[in-house]
């Protein structure tokens, strides 16, 4: 991680915090509630994304429309397992008449 730090350019006004592996949920939980409008972008392991999403929407008051959360892997599952699970969920959603291009439907599929 220390080797990655120079790759992110420092910009005035940015508040970058480097978090050790396994500490992301606690780091987000320790953030103060932002004043004004806040936005969130989260991409991580599925369990971490669910926990951080709950923190951002609940305790930190981020509006759902200002939040993008995506799980890119699931601890203990291979990519083949995840692809098969996702394909099954999408097929079920389409069969039930849901519009899988709707961001709200995609969000629900991502966290089901």
């Amino acid at each position: 991680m220390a080797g990655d730090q120079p790759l992110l350019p420092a910009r005035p006004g940015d508040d970058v915090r480097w978090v050790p592996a396994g500490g992301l949920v606690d780091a987000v939980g320790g953030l103060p509630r932002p004043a004004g409008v806040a936005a969130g972008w989260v991409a991580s392991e599925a369990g971490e994304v669910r926990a951080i999403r709950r923190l951002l929407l609940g305790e930190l008051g981020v509006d759902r429309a200002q939040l993008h959360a995506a799980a890119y892997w699931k601890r203990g599952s291979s990519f083949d397992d995840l692809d098969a699970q996702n394909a099954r969920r999408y097929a079920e959603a389409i069969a039930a008449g849901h519009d899988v291009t709707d961001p709200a439907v995609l969000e629900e599929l991502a966290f089901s």
Side-chain angles (χ1 to χ4, degrees):
M1 179 159 58
D4 294 334
Q5 292 179 8
L7 300 174
L8 184 65
R11 298 183 310 187
D14 286 353
D15 180 10
V16 177
R17 300 170 192 209
W18 293 92
V19 179
L24 190 56
V25 175
D26 289 338
V28 172
L31 293 172
R33 187 178 182 107
V37 176
W41 189 95
V42 181
S44 186
E45 188 276 330
E48 289 181 339
V49 170
R50 274 193 295 278
I52 292 168
R53 183 174 175 269
R54 279 193 297 271
L55 286 168
L56 291 173
L57 293 173
E59 296 174 25
L60 296 175
V62 173
D63 184 276
R64 185 177 305 274
Q66 298 299 318
L67 176 61
H68 173 78
Y72 281 93
W73 71 93
K74 185 175 182 180
R75 191 169 284 115
S77 295
S78 72
F79 283 111
D80 290 338
D81 294 339
L82 294 175
D83 287 345
Q85 291 169 12
N86 287 336
R88 190 170 43 257
R89 284 200 315 269
Y90 275 73
E92 290 169 356
I94 291 168
H98 297 289
D99 177 3
V100 295
T101 64
D102 180 341
V105 172
L106 290 173
E107 182 178 26
E108 182 62 34
L109 287 172
F111 294 102
S112 59

